[in-house]
Structure formats: C-alpha cells, structure tokens
Amino acid sequence: MRPSTSPGTVLLAFTLLCALLGLGCPLSCEVCKGPGPSCSGRMKTCEAGKDACVVLVGESSTKGHQSVNTYKNCMKFRDCHSGFVSTTMGPKDYMVTNTHCCQSDGCNRVSVSPPLNNRTENGLLCPACIAPFQETCPGTQAARCVGQETHCIYFAGNVQAGIFNTKFATRGCATASACHTSAGAEVPSASYLYFLRRVDCLPAPQPPGRAE
Ligand SMILES: *[C@@H]1O[C@H](CO)[C@@H](O)[C@H](O)[C@H]1NC(C)=O
C-alpha cells in the first residue's frame, strides 16, 4: 500500500500550483468553534469572496448565563474588524469580544487574549431591547452602559445558531468600535453568525446634569 496523501498536502500542492499559474488563489483558514479561550480545528479553503481569516474570543452573558467561546473561520475582510467590542443590552445580557483578522493562509492559527470585561457603569444610558424572531424592537427599557461603551446601537437582521436561522432585533450600549459594522455584513460572535440588515450607531446622549 502506498502512503495516503494527507488533505494538507493536497491543499499545499493546490496553493502552490495556483500561485505558479498566477491565479487568484483562495485563502485557507483554520476552522473551529468551541467553549473556552482557544480552539483548534482543520484547515479549510475559503469560499469565493471570503478573503480573510478570523479568530475571536467572546465572553457573553445571556439572562445571567455566562460563557467564554472561541470562533475561527473565513470571512470577508471588509466585514472583519480587529480589536475589542463590548455591547450591553441589560445587566444580565452582554457580550465582549476580542477579534483578530488577517489575510494569509492559516494566519488565524493563533490565540487572542480574552477580552477585558469591565462591568463598571459609566453613567450613560441607551434604549434597550432583545427581540428574537422580530424585525424591530421598541427600546422602551434602558441599558446602563459600562466601561468604554459610549454609543447606542440598534442591530437587526438574521442570526444563525447551528442550522437554526431566525430574525432578531436588539438595542443597547456599545463601544464606538461596534459602529464599524455596516448593514449587509455577515459577522460572527463567539456563538452565532449574524446577518445584519440594519445597523444604527449613535453617541449615547449625555445624562442630564452632566455638562459637556
Ligand atoms: C472601567 O470602566 C470605568 C467606567 O468607564 C472606568 O472609570 C475605569 O477606569 C475602567 N477600568 C479599567 C480597568 O479599564
């Protein structure tokens, strides 16, 4: 029996051939998703148009259930923003993420440090709501912004969790870095994939009694 060719060898040969022929070579990235501050998985050739590798670590709380998860995959470079993002929809509903985007084969085979999670309130307030299955949400409640969250966001679109895909709408506090996201973007969190149709991001109003 001849030794079998590993998928890695095939991928390498393909990438070399494509570079030699001067073709637009597809990127390959590590793909994994799992609990904890790191994960590892197989290498995958990215679909056309996905020209970046991403690794992100997120800490989230949903109705008080906290978890840390890591996500690695291909995505569009245009939709990928390296750095820290914090969003707060309520005292028990928030998400902080650290993201690294890069554009060479296997460049996401690294770990990123878990995001700082500063829950100290900073005095700013934003309209807040979480509406699964809905296209809009009223924002009749108020979220207390924490840490570096200086903006109010309104995100709506679709969210994919495994094979389950549904509409969602949400409002709350966010760091200014969340405003880099634009409508039409496909962005991962540590646990879900979001297809954003609406992205509003405005500086949080100054609370009364606090002079500029
Ligand atoms: C946490 O956030 C508060 C409110 O914005 C700020 O005063 C404090 O300096 C932050 N702490 C750290 C360690 O960043």
Side-chain angles (χ1 to χ4, degrees):
M1 281 250 319
R2 283 196 294 158
S4 62
T5 316
S6 77
T9 313
V10 174
L11 193 63
L12 180 67
F14 178 64
T15 306
L16 277 177
L17 183 67
C18 137
L20 283 172
L21 296 178
L23 303 171
C25 307
L27 188 66
S28 55
C29 303
E30 186 179 16
V31 178
C32 61
K33 201 169 89 145
S38 68
C39 68
S40 65
R42 69 190 172 85
M43 291 287 289
K44 174 178 104 168
T45 302
C46 298
E47 305 92 305
K50 297 203 170 170
D51 52 352
C53 298
V54 64
V55 43
L56 76 84
V57 178
E59 181 178 334
S60 61
S61 173
T62 306
K63 294 178 182 163
H65 296 283
Q66 281 169 275
S67 62
V68 174
N69 291 284
T70 302
Y71 175 90
K72 296 184 182 186
N73 213 328
C74 305
M75 70 180 283
K76 282 186 188 164
F77 189 64
R78 191 187 59 178
D79 294 346
C80 199
H81 300 283
S82 294
F84 173 74
V85 173
S86 174
T87 56
T88 298
M89 310 311 169
K92 294 178 170 180
D93 293 281
Y94 60 79
M95 185 163 66
V96 286
T97 55
N98 240 355
T99 303
H100 172 66
C101 314
C102 55
Q103 289 193 285
S104 61
D105 287 337
C107 62
N108 65 340
R109 295 166 91 172
V110 295
S111 298
V112 293
S113 45
L116 280 179
N117 188 9
N118 182 353
R119 305 308 307 162
T120 307
E121 290 175 10
N122 64 21
L124 299 173
L125 296 172
C126 288
C129 50
I130 302 173
F133 318 117
Q134 307 294 314
E135 279 179 33
T136 58
C137 79
T140 40
Q141 296 184 312
R144 295 173 181 278
C145 304
V146 302
Q148 307 304 317
E149 295 172 349
T150 54
H151 284 65
C152 298
I153 49 152
Y154 188 166
F155 283 176
N158 273 62
V159 57
Q160 180 141 11
I163 56 161
F164 193 62
N165 188 314
T166 178
K167 287 175 187 164
F168 82 98
T170 190
R171 301 171 76 164
C173 304
T175 47
S177 52
C179 304
H180 294 145
T181 311
S182 49
E186 183 181 319
V187 291
S189 73
S191 319
Y192 306 114
L193 193 56
Y194 293 92
F195 303 89
L196 298 170
R197 200 177 51 254
R198 172 179 188 154
V199 176
D200 297 345
C201 188
L202 289 168
Q206 284 296 318
R210 198 199 267 188
E212 272 287 287

